[in-house]
């Protein structure tokens, strides 16, 4: 038995123990928090190797698989019942929102092969992945992009876009309108 096979066996066992400890201890601790204990949930994830910002808001019903592959930026939000399948790294940028029931899946399973192909998912800053969106392995959603509800994303999306569809496509540009300065009304209207 060669040295490489012993090392591989140890890595397999260590990974299995890590996943078991997360599912038996970490996930129950994560889920048993009150709905507004965002910081406590972030701390539980961070104990298990995630890098979650102190200002991130993650709901207690979120399912996280392998939190050590998760990075969540400042003021990001992850909604109820979202699934973060972190077999490969998942990066969620600052001020981005992953809405309820969204599924970020980092594993591609080929019908022609017996192997799974993990690839990272990156959601850059200021994005919104709306309700019930599926995001596939290897996808990058560029900054300032909105993905409409119930869309499926299998290819990377351009920046400052509004994208929708069964195979999400760009349908428009996301434009930020600056607030107009209004003059106060004479007569003291409050």
């Amino acid at each position: 038995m060669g040295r490489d096979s012993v090392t591989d066996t140890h890595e397999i066992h260590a990974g299995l123990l890590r996943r078991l400890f997360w599912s038996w201890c970490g996930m129950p601790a994560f889920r048993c928090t009150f709905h507004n204990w965002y910081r406590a949930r972030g701390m539980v994830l961070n104990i298990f190797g995630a890098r979650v910002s102190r200002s991130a808001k993650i709901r207690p019903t979120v399912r996280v698989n392998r939190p050590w592959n998760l990075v969540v930026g400042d003021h990001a939000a992850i909604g109820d019942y979202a699934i973060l399948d972190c077999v490969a790294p998942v990066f969620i940028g600052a001020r981005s929102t992953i809405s309820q029931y969204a599924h970020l899946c980092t594993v591609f399973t080929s019908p022609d092969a017996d192997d799974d192909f993990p690839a990272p998912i990156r959601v850059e800053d200021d994005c919104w992945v709306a309700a019930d969106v599926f995001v596939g392995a290897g996808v990058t959603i560029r900054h300032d992009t909105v993905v409409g509800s119930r869309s499926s994303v299998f290819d990377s999306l351009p920046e400052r876009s509004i994208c929708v569809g069964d195979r999400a496509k760009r349908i428009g540009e996301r434009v930020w309108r600056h607030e107009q300065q209004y003059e106060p009304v004479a007569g003291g209207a409050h």
Side-chain angles (χ1 to χ4, degrees), residues 53-98:
S53 167
R54 294 175 60 96
S55 59
K57 296 191 182 307
I58 301 174
R59 301 295 293 168
T61 55
V62 172
R63 270 193 14 220
V64 180
N65 170 339
R66 295 180 175 105
W68 45 91
N69 285 331
L70 178 63
V71 178
V72 181
D74 294 337
H75 304 286
I78 303 174
D80 283 313
Y81 303 102
I83 300 170
L84 306 178
D85 188 12
C86 304
V87 174
V90 172
F91 303 94
I92 299 171
R95 299 168 308 280
S96 289
T97 299
I98 309 299

Side-chain angles (χ1 to χ4, degrees), residues 1 5 7 17 19 25 38 58 77 79 90 142-143 167 172:
M1 192 168 183
S5 63
T7 303
L17 287 174
R19 288 195 309 271
C25 299
Y38 300 113
I58 301 174
V90 172
R142 305 258 188 254
H143 76 278
R167 198 162 184 95

Side-chain angles (χ1 to χ4, degrees), residues 30-179:
F30 177 88
R31 295 188 77 116
C32 288
T33 56
F34 289 109
H35 73 94
N36 60 348
W37 286 15
Y38 300 113
R39 184 65 197 123
R41 284 187 289 278
M43 287 173 33
V44 170
L45 289 169
N46 287 339
I47 287 169
F48 283 87
R51 290 181 299 180
V52 177
S53 167
R54 294 175 60 96
S55 59
K57 296 191 182 307
I58 301 174
R59 301 295 293 168
T61 55
V62 172
R63 270 193 14 220
V64 180
N65 170 339
R66 295 180 175 105
W68 45 91
N69 285 331
L70 178 63
V71 178
V72 181
D74 294 337
H75 304 286
I78 303 174
D80 283 313
Y81 303 102
I83 300 170
L84 306 178
D85 188 12
C86 304
V87 174
V90 172
F91 303 94
I92 299 171
R95 299 168 308 280
S96 289
T97 299
I98 309 299
S99 291
Q100 64 273 17
Y101 298 102
H103 185 173
L104 280 62
C105 182
T106 60
V107 178
F108 170 74
T109 304
S110 172
D112 302 329
D114 294 334
D115 294 334
D116 295 335
F117 302 101
I121 293 174
R122 178 177 295 277
V123 178
E124 294 182 351
D125 297 346
D126 302 307
C127 292
W128 177 22
V129 176
D132 207 20
V133 169
F134 178 85
V135 179
V139 167
T140 297
I141 299 174
R142 305 258 188 254
H143 76 278
D144 279 343
T145 295
V146 174
V147 182
S149 295
R150 313 269 337 232
S151 297
S152 298
V153 183
F154 298 106
D155 301 310
S156 294
L157 300 176
E159 64 186 36
R160 300 185 59 84
S161 299
I162 300 169
C163 302
V164 297
D166 187 24
R167 198 162 184 95
K169 300 283 187 226
R170 184 176 195 264
I171 62 165
E173 181 179 357
R174 185 176 185 189
V175 178
W176 291 98
R177 297 196 191 339
H178 297 286
E179 290 187 39

